[in-house]
């Protein structure tokens, strides 16, 4: 009897797993957003995992197979995953591709678009709405679930946005300037009023020139910028050099383009934003 019940549960579990929608997310932050909207109806594969750098990622043949098997592929767009179009083409799959950043107000830096839209919680809400609509389109039977999950998660993001604004308001206005490794926090700066300067551009694959570095060091000294911050995806040596030459303290590690593993400081998007604002306020206050 016990054996029969166990078989029944195993069969039901297998059937449930088979009914799940296979979704590929290009990197860990999108994977978490998809998880919150899709819930138990989706099976999520993330190409660039925790602490990975999507700017310099090199896809594997296994990644092409993952896209071939997927029903939906969720990407950031805005030039973030420069390696992705070729990967999608080589996969030969029929998956629907959705750009999660669709509809946000793009931030332009020189001739390049800043792809880090998720750093504004308001933008993250747009990401969630786009993911919800894409899931409903590929799995109409799950529409009620996706809409309910998205509504609940959007309420959490509303609360998170309020937390960030309150935390920034606690920082003296003259101290709301920091240095981060690469220009990943522009949308955050525009939304919440903390100025970020970065020796690298919008991508970690660029290296600052000696002239750019000297200008940033001069700017830190002139503006008395109090802190520089490391990033989990970047080599810390550059920021430590800047700290040593300017006297600005190392304020901690910020999470820009990637979440951490479950046992880290930022295993989810909400954890990431909370960690970042706590780190910023601690250093700047």
């Amino acid at each position: 009897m016990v054996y029969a019940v166990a078989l029944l549960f195993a069969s039901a579990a297998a059937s449930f797993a088979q009914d799940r929608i296979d979704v590929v997310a290009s990197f860990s932050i999108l994977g978490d957003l998809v998880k919150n909207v899709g819930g138990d109806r989706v099976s999520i594969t993330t190409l660039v995992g925790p602490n990975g750098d999507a700017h310099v990622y090199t896809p594997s043949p296994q990644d092409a197979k993952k896209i071939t098997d997927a029903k939906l592929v969720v990407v950031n767009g805005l030039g973030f995953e420069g390696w992705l179009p070729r990967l999608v083409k080589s996969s030969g799959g029929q998956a629907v591709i959705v750009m999660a950043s669709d509809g946000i107000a793009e931030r332009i830096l020189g001739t390049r678009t800043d792809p880090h839209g998720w750093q504004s919680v308001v933008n993250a809400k747009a990401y969630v709405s786009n993911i919800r609509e894409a899931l409903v389109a590929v799995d109409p039977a799950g529409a009620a679930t996706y809409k309910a999950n998205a509504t609940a998660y959007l309420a959490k993001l509303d609360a998170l946005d309020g937390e960030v604004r309150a935390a920034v308001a606690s920082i003296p206005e003259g101290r709301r300037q920091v240095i981060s490794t690469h220009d990943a926090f522009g949308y955050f700066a525009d939304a919440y009023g903390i100025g970020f300067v970065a020796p690298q551009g919008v991508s970690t694959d660029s290296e600052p020139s000696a002239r750019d570095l000297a200008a940033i060091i001069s700017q830190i000294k002139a503006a008395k910028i109090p802190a520089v911050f490391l990033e989990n995806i970047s080599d810390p040596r550059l920021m430590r050099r800047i700290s040593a030459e300017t006297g600005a303290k190392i304020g901690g590690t910020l999470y820009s383009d990637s979440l951490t593993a479950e046992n880290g400081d930022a295993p989810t998007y909400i954890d990431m934003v909370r960690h970042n604002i706590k780190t910023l306020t601690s250093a700047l206050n």
Side-chain angles (χ1 to χ4, degrees):
M1 179 66 178
V2 173
Y3 180 69
V5 171
L7 279 179
L8 181 63
F9 275 108
S11 176
S15 176
F16 181 72
Q18 289 173 354
D19 290 340
R20 290 186 175 191
I21 303 301
D22 288 327
V23 180
V24 169
S26 59
F27 69 113
S28 58
I29 293 170
L30 288 188
D32 182 59
L33 299 184
V34 173
K35 179 180 178 181
N36 277 280
V37 179
D40 292 336
R41 288 193 68 91
V42 300
S43 177
I44 305 166
T45 299
T46 302
L47 299 181
V48 185
N51 295 309
D53 185 355
H55 288 294
V56 296
Y57 183 70
T58 301
S60 68
Q62 289 78 16
D63 290 334
K65 177 67 165 57
K66 293 169 185 175
I67 290 179
T68 300
D69 296 339
K71 195 162 188 178
L72 177 68
V73 177
V74 181
V75 306
N76 184 74
L78 306 180
F80 184 62
E81 308 99 333
W83 41 269
L84 192 63
R86 186 167 55 183
L87 178 64
V88 170
K89 184 176 181 180
S90 68
S91 74
Q94 302 298 314
V96 173
I97 312 293
V98 60
M99 189 168 77
S101 64
D102 191 37
I104 71 167
E106 297 178 20
R107 181 172 178 266
I108 307 299
L109 293 173
T111 60
R112 301 186 70 175
T113 299
D114 183 349
H116 306 90
W118 62 86
Q119 287 295 343
S120 158
V121 179
V122 172
N123 284 348
K125 291 172 61 180
Y127 279 45
V128 169
S129 296
N130 289 330
I131 291 167
R132 176 195 62 210
E133 296 308 306
L135 286 170
V136 169
V138 300
D139 180 26
T145 297
Y146 300 136
K147 290 176 182 178
N149 288 349
T151 297
Y153 189 58
L154 288 169
K156 293 180 181 179
L157 294 182
D158 279 332
L160 180 66
D161 183 63
E163 288 177 33
V164 176
R165 295 183 189 281
V168 172
S170 74
I171 301 170
E173 197 164 336
R175 292 179 64 83
R176 296 177 191 172
Q177 295 186 80
V178 299
I179 306 294
S180 61
T181 307
H182 83 294
D183 203 347
F185 297 96
Y187 291 96
F188 184 98
D190 290 348
Y192 303 113
I194 292 182
F196 283 80
V197 178
Q200 292 178 306
V202 296
S203 173
T204 54
D205 64 3
S206 62
E207 289 292 335
S209 67
R211 183 177 181 179
D212 290 339
L213 196 55
I216 286 174
I217 289 171
S218 296
Q219 180 179 355
I220 294 171
K221 291 178 178 178
K224 296 182 172 58
I225 294 175
V228 301
F229 292 86
L230 309 177
E231 291 180 37
N232 65 321
I233 63 166
S234 299
D235 189 326
R237 289 175 294 182
L238 175 62
M239 302 309 286
R240 288 184 175 137
R241 175 185 167 190
I242 291 174
S243 173
E245 293 194 24
T246 62
K249 68 178 180 179
I250 297 288
T253 298
L254 300 178
Y255 296 95
S256 55
D257 297 8
S258 176
L259 302 179
T260 65
E262 285 295 326
N263 61 350
D265 292 323
T268 71
Y269 174 76
I270 289 177
D271 290 331
M272 179 190 79
V273 175
R274 283 182 174 150
H275 169 87
N276 285 350
I277 194 60
K278 181 180 179 180
T279 301
L280 287 167
T281 53
S282 177
L284 299 182
N285 280 322

